[in-house]
Amino acid sequence: MASSVLNQVIGTLHSFGSSEKSRDHRELGKVSVRLPFKVQRFQVIGLKQDNQRSASSIRASASQTSVFDPVSTPSNSKSTSSESRKKSNEAALILIRHGESLWNEKNLFTGCVDVPLTKKGIEEAIEAGKRISNIPVDMIYTSALIRAQMTAMLAMTQHRRKKVPIILHDENERARVWSQIFSEDTKKQSIPVITAWQLNERMYGELQGLNKQETADRYGKEQVHEWRRSYDIPPPNGESLEMCAERAVAYFRDEIEPQLLSGKNVMVAAHGNSLRSIIMYLDKLTSQEVISLELSTGIPMLYIIKEGKFIRRGSPVGPSEAGVYAYTRTLAQYRQKLDEVVL
Ligand SMILES: O=C(O)[C@H](O)COP(=O)(O)O
């Protein structure tokens, strides 16, 4: 009995967000069964705009996208869906560092301490949501920390598609069973939110809770800069950027990239250093180049993955920024559909 309930739950998770039994759903199911349960001033110093990078591997066929689902009524989605399937070898990736937290405000090293957003951080997340409100989002990944989760949820309150982001809980069997959804229609109007500790901020060791300025006064500016921005020197008993990258990039490659390659549009809400590592991977930055990469709070950054290549498209400055939609036909069509149907 218990195992049949579990199978039912796993089946539910497999089909979350779509009725098709495709490979990516199995992967989503795998992720959720295994796991319990973020640029106007996105400064990219010394980097080329619009650079193209090869994805490390193409593991999923790019045959399916929900880019046309904004209006998922049978009458108006039929022709465009089949059209989109033919051309769906691209997907959008939105990266967003969380909005300002209460410890950002106090200038304290935060790392893996689970601190919520300030009022300003809440406003930043809402503003970020407005900027991406015309970009399709099929799946959301966040860290296990509340500041990233708040940011993702607040941003999605602004999305024009009005799908409901729902956190997948599979920390134990009861959590899985008790969070089942029994309506296929409701599932289709939902966005799975997967939380992963691997996307957490770097663990800042014995600096967590210390004031950044006071620490610099005490240990010297150079030492603190080395702890904060060197690639492979960890703070006392904490993680270096390299160590943080090992788990964050592995997670991105193993869990998120296959979703993108299968045509799913993904938002990742995470942290300064976990996102710096992922951007280092996407843009193939060297350990020298990543040192000067700084991410502001609450600023979304858009990538397009097309034919296995990541193409950085900068940060949408507004919901209707012409440049963003000129980059890819499917994004432009998605937005056009929203304009036609939503209002
Ligand atoms: O954890 C922190 O204190 C911040 O989120 C990131 O800090 P950093 O800019 O010192 O890396």
Side-chain angles (χ1 to χ4, degrees):
M1 179 66 183
S3 70
S4 79
V5 171
L6 181 60
N7 286 338
Q8 197 183 347
V9 176
I10 291 170
T12 301
L13 291 170
H14 285 172
S15 63
F16 198 110
S18 171
S19 56
E20 291 183 39
K21 298 260 185 273
S22 62
R23 177 180 181 277
D24 40 287
H25 297 137
R26 289 197 299 276
E27 283 171 343
L28 173 57
K30 183 185 72 179
V31 173
S32 42
V33 168
R34 257 188 15 209
L35 295 171
F37 21 104
K38 309 121 233 310
V39 210
Q40 165 188 8
R41 287 188 45 79
F42 177 90
Q43 301 169 16
V44 184
I45 297 165
L47 302 180
K48 291 180 288 228
Q49 280 296 315
D50 299 343
N51 53 342
Q52 296 199 359
R53 304 294 186 184
S54 294
S56 61
S57 59
I58 302 177
R59 284 167 289 178
S61 69
S63 62
Q64 181 268 338
T65 181
S66 57
V67 76
F68 286 103
D69 94 341
V71 265
S72 57
T73 55
S75 56
N76 55 17
S77 65
K78 206 171 177 182
S79 57
T80 46
S81 307
S82 57
E83 192 188 334
S84 72
R85 278 196 190 93
K86 280 185 221 138
K87 297 174 181 147
S88 65
N89 57 347
E90 66 179 48
L93 168 65
I94 298 162
L95 303 179
I96 181 168
R97 182 183 176 195
H98 62 82
E100 181 194 69
S101 77
L102 281 156
W103 279 18
N104 291 143
E105 185 184 42
K106 290 177 187 295
N107 202 26
L108 305 182
F109 285 102
T110 312
C112 287
V113 181
D114 205 354
V115 176
L117 300 183
T118 59
K119 185 170 179 290
K120 180 182 165 200
I122 290 170
E123 286 163 2
E124 286 175 336
I126 291 171
E127 176 57 27
K130 289 182 181 154
R131 293 183 186 197
I132 57 163
S133 61
N134 283 314
I135 298 176
V137 177
D138 301 316
M139 295 184 69
I140 298 173
Y141 289 86
T142 79
S143 75
L145 301 172
I146 193 77
R147 57 195 187 272
Q149 296 178 12
M150 285 178 81
T151 300
M153 294 301 193
L154 289 165
M156 289 312 292
T157 62
Q158 303 303 304
H159 202 280
R160 293 178 71 202
R161 179 61 184 82
K162 300 293 176 211
K163 278 191 174 182
V164 178
I166 296 181
I167 295 179
L168 299 189
H169 280 282
D170 64 355
E171 52 270 30
N172 56 47
E173 187 177 344
R174 178 177 295 180
R176 286 192 288 274
V177 173
W178 286 19
S179 59
Q180 284 180 95
I181 300 168
F182 292 93
S183 159
E184 286 305 316
D185 283 348
T186 303
K187 273 189 264 175
K188 280 183 200 153
Q189 296 308 316
S190 307
I191 302 176
V193 180
I194 296 168
T195 61
W197 69 268
Q198 292 91 331
L199 297 173
N200 281 6
E201 182 54 287
R202 74 192 281 190
M203 206 281 273
Y204 246 125
E206 290 165 22
L207 300 186
Q208 289 185 172
L210 271 55
N211 182 283
K212 291 180 183 177
Q213 186 55 52
E214 288 168 13
T215 310
D217 295 343
R218 183 167 170 194
Y219 295 98
K221 233 171 112 181
E222 291 72 26
Q223 174 65 81
V224 170
H225 184 73
E226 193 172 70
W227 283 333
R228 292 182 68 187
R229 288 295 171 266
S230 62
Y231 180 64
D232 53 6
I233 301 171
N237 289 317
E239 281 184 311
S240 63
L241 183 63
E242 185 178 29
M243 292 155 80
C244 174
E246 270 170 32
R247 39 107 173 162
V249 174
Y251 186 82
F252 183 88
R253 291 177 61 151
D254 293 348
E255 308 295 348
I256 301 176
E257 198 172 307
Q259 301 294 345
L260 291 161
L261 291 168
S262 73
K264 292 279 173 66
N265 303 289
V266 175
M267 178 164 89
V268 178
H271 303 265
N273 293 295
S274 51
L275 289 174
R276 287 171 73 226
S277 349
I278 289 170
I279 290 169
M280 184 181 179
Y281 166 68
L282 297 177
D283 287 353
K284 290 209 165 37
L285 305 184
T286 65
S287 52
Q288 274 304 307
E289 286 172 323
V290 76
I291 286 172
S292 48
L293 175 63
E294 294 286 344
L295 307 189
S296 301
T297 52
I299 305 294
M301 186 179 181
L302 176 67
Y303 283 79
I304 301 298
I305 184 162
K306 197 167 183 174
E307 289 157 14
K309 291 179 178 164
F310 289 105
I311 307 166
R312 184 156 47 83
R313 290 308 189 192
S315 177
V317 296
S320 10
E321 189 198 351
V324 167
Y325 301 99
Y327 296 135
T328 112
R329 192 172 158 190
T330 43
L331 284 193
Q333 288 171 331
Y334 179 86
R335 187 189 160 205
Q336 192 185 341
K337 280 282 172 204
L338 284 174
D339 288 347
E340 285 167 17
V341 173
V342 176
L343 271 183

